[in-house]
Amino acid sequence: MDLNADLGEGFGIWRLGDDEALLGLVTSANVACGFHGGDPSTMRRVCEGAARREVAVGAQVGYRDLAGFGRRHIAYDFAELRDEVTYQLGALSAFCQLFNTRVRYLKPHGALYHAAATDESQAAAVVAAVTGHNPELPVLCMPGSTLAQLAVGAGLPVVAEAFADRGYLPNGALVPRGTPGALITDPDAVATRAVRIATERTVVAVDGTVIPCPADSICVHGDTHNAVSATELVRASLIDAGVPLAPFA
């Protein structure tokens, strides 16, 4: 199983999350590319740390929305979104090259992640950017989403992602942020969910129903206040359950 986290989301003097500690725990790093978070120096630092630890680097691309942390929906024109995603891929690729590594996958962030799960135009723009940049680049996304379907149709590898620290609705969608049950903050609960996802391929939804949750990568968000302790426990619990940890890319 791959264990991923969102990293490099600080900006300027603002630091969000403990990138250094999380790089020692995860197998893949979703690196912010400067639009929803991150800046050139942060991208360089995280790429260097990931290369040193042999952690796979993924481009976490988002809306051009630093003020809203990329969590506000934007109605983009297809070509504009395609080009902004391409721009972010190119920026992260440049920093990867400095440390003899490369961008190994793409994952949308925040509102773009959710929009691309259902909006055909936005999903198609992401797919067009990826195929133009590297037609063999995997896309990390929700299984069964519009983005997953279009990526498969374009011949891109698709990697199914699950969230250990987010609540699920009975239909398999994530509970919207700001809604009760959206975030799982207890490290023990997060670790228990991660093991269940990895070993049973299921998750318990907010209404108590058990729903399918196929995944090749489990995400723990790096911007929560206890992200490091939760990720430490997730990693240890997966290993104790006999689940090997390795990058999917």
Side-chain angles (χ1 to χ4, degrees):
M1 179 63 70
D2 176 59
L3 181 60
N4 79 73
D6 304 341
L7 302 180
E9 293 182 314
F11 182 80
I13 66 171
W14 307 107
R15 290 295 179 94
L16 186 63
D18 190 339
D19 293 335
E20 196 67 20
L22 287 168
L23 280 171
L25 299 170
V26 299
T27 53
S28 294
N30 317 316
V31 182
C33 298
F35 274 31
H36 76 275
D39 58 33
S41 295
T42 301
M43 292 164 70
R44 180 186 181 113
R45 174 173 50 80
V46 176
C47 287
E48 181 179 16
R52 187 168 64 249
R53 293 174 176 81
E54 298 184 347
V55 172
V57 173
Q60 188 169 43
V61 300
Y63 291 148
R64 187 187 291 270
D65 180 28
L66 281 172
F69 195 54
R71 289 183 176 158
R72 303 179 293 188
H73 181 266
I74 298 176
Y76 269 93
D77 171 76
F78 169 87
E80 183 181 10
L81 181 57
R82 177 201 61 202
D83 294 345
E84 293 208 346
V85 172
T86 300
Y87 183 97
Q88 293 174 77
L89 279 166
L92 188 62
S93 294
F95 286 110
C96 282
Q97 289 174 12
L98 296 175
F99 305 106
N100 296 315
T101 188
R102 58 186 173 87
V103 174
R104 295 183 181 273
Y105 62 95
L106 174 142
K107 173 186 172 178
H109 166 81
L112 177 57
Y113 190 98
H114 295 291
T118 58
D119 185 308
E120 187 168 344
S121 176
Q122 294 213 1
V126 173
V127 169
V130 175
T131 54
H133 176 80
N134 178 357
E136 297 181 352
L137 191 69
V139 175
L140 179 61
C141 61
M142 291 282 280
S145 63
T146 298
L147 176 57
Q149 294 170 25
L150 293 184
V152 168
L156 295 172
V158 172
V159 180
E161 180 179 38
F163 296 85
D165 57 1
R166 290 293 310 276
Y168 279 81
L169 295 171
N171 65 0
L174 297 178
V175 177
R177 284 184 178 269
T179 303
L183 295 176
I184 313 298
T185 57
D186 176 56
D188 289 319
V190 174
T192 298
R193 290 166 70 84
V195 171
R196 181 170 193 149
I197 291 167
T199 59
E200 300 180 19
R201 297 296 196 263
T202 62
V203 69
V204 179
V206 288
D207 66 349
T209 59
V210 177
I211 60 174
C213 190
D216 298 304
S217 182
I218 296 175
C219 178
V220 178
H221 285 87
D223 61 329
T224 55
H225 73 280
N226 61 352
V228 174
S229 59
T231 307
E232 287 175 339
L233 190 55
V234 166
R235 182 182 177 90
S237 297
L238 288 171
I239 293 172
D240 287 346
V243 179
L245 296 179
F248 64 82

